[in-house]
Amino acid sequence: AVAPGARLVVGDIGDTSLVGALIRDKGIEAILHFAGSVVVPDSIADPLGYYLNNTSKTRSLIEEAVAGGVRQFIFSSTAAVYGTPPADAPVSETVAPAPVTPYGKSKLMSEWMLQDAAAAHGLSYAILRYFNVAGCDPAGRTGQSTPGATHLLKVACEAAVGRRPHVEVFGTDYPTPDGSCVRDFIHVGDLVAAHRMALMALRRDGGGMTINCGYGHGYSVLEVLDSVQRVSGRKLDVRMGPRRNGDLASVIADTTQIRRKLGFTPALDDLDTIVATSLEWE
């Protein structure tokens, strides 16, 4: 999955000696920080592990960035920092964060550290709060390869091609139109474009920004499964189960800022397109 011309160094962002040496030796000017643990129920079972991997190691990375003179820092955050947003309303960046899970809290603490370090040391930053990232590279070069993945679309596509026996729906009694959770799914290709735009903006204008990354509308779990069946032409074994700890009924992004500050216009905002790229990858 490593692009031609890119250098891969296998290591840990908490390894300050390794990270510091790379920044100095390669003259690194910008860091895009994607590393972290992302499964909400796991964070409830192992909060200290999430605070170590997501928060403590991010602090180490920021420290080395400052020491090495890095000029721009882009951080992958999450809509989970908002906690329980207003029902049926897009959540904007002006909403006071109130995370309800260790995962969301670990990311919010990282946001605070980055903002404070930027103010003290003149670091330009962008905090991109992802909603639900989905889909795979339309050119088929890369896709989600996580072993034992828990993401809905990955699980459903694996089931559609025979790699899983069934798909479980966690909760069917939420206050949504069909009782299943609703999420704002953004195609990974559009998310990549948002990162490029954010880096260009930081290089041009400096400063800092916190921006939602989503489409401003959502689909339910059952709608996603219907799309997978429609696009694949295969019937899934869908089983209804109880709610999972930490799951929210509906989370939709207010996309005013990403459009205004970055000039973001999505190119892949279509559920069947998102599903088709995922199925092609599988």
Side-chain angles (χ1 to χ4, degrees), residues 2-265:
V2 181
R7 180 187 173 194
L8 173 65
V9 177
V10 179
D12 192 306
I13 63 166
D15 184 343
T16 54
S17 296
L18 172 64
V19 172
L22 282 172
I23 292 172
R24 292 189 303 271
D25 295 347
K26 300 301 177 182
I28 301 299
E29 296 182 354
I31 290 176
L32 282 71
H33 173 23
F34 301 101
S37 302
V38 300
V39 181
V40 171
D42 287 354
S43 79
I44 295 171
D46 181 24
L48 295 180
Y50 271 65
Y51 291 131
L52 172 62
N53 202 36
N54 289 357
T55 311
S56 297
K57 292 185 180 182
T58 292
R59 183 208 169 277
S60 297
L61 180 61
I62 295 171
E63 182 176 40
E64 292 306 315
V66 169
V70 171
R71 298 165 62 186
Q72 296 96 24
F73 195 109
I74 297 178
F75 174 56
S76 301
S77 192
T78 171
V81 301
Y82 294 118
T84 306
D88 302 323
V91 57
S92 79
E93 297 87 347
T94 60
V95 170
V100 295
T101 65
Y103 168 62
K105 293 172 185 177
S106 73
K107 287 289 194 173
L108 181 59
M109 286 189 281
S110 298
E111 289 189 10
W112 288 341
M113 288 190 297
L114 178 56
Q115 290 167 335
D116 290 344
H121 302 288
L123 180 67
S124 296
Y125 71 90
I127 293 167
L128 302 185
R129 290 174 174 168
Y130 298 4
F131 280 64
N132 279 65
V133 186
C136 296
D137 175 23
R141 295 166 297 185
T142 58
Q144 188 177 352
S145 303
T146 314
T150 60
H151 292 75
L152 169 65
L153 188 52
K154 173 74 171 177
V155 170
C157 288
E158 286 184 344
V161 299
R163 293 201 183 105
R164 290 182 188 245
H166 65 274
V167 179
E168 186 170 4
V169 176
F170 298 104
T172 58
D173 58 347
Y174 286 98
T176 60
D178 63 18
S180 65
C181 293
V182 173
R183 294 292 183 267
D184 188 335
F185 292 92
I186 178 172
H187 193 287
V188 66
D190 282 331
L191 187 66
V192 168
H195 284 75
R196 178 179 58 81
M197 293 173 183
L199 182 56
M200 292 170 62
L202 293 181
R203 285 174 169 170
R204 182 182 65 245
D205 304 323
M209 63 181 79
T210 300
I211 292 180
N212 288 339
C213 291
Y215 287 151
H217 59 83
Y219 298 101
S220 73
V221 170
L222 295 182
E223 286 176 320
V224 171
L225 295 179
D226 285 345
S227 177
V228 171
Q229 294 179 107
R230 181 170 59 250
V231 174
S232 68
R234 298 176 183 175
K235 180 72 173 175
L236 300 178
D237 180 1
V238 179
R239 302 179 185 180
M240 305 303 174
R243 296 185 182 190
R244 295 185 303 184
N245 287 334
D247 280 349
L248 304 175
S250 178
V251 186
I252 308 295
D254 182 320
T255 59
T256 303
Q257 294 301 319
I258 192 172
R259 296 174 187 272
R260 183 175 69 83
K261 291 185 177 181
L262 302 185
F264 175 77
T265 301

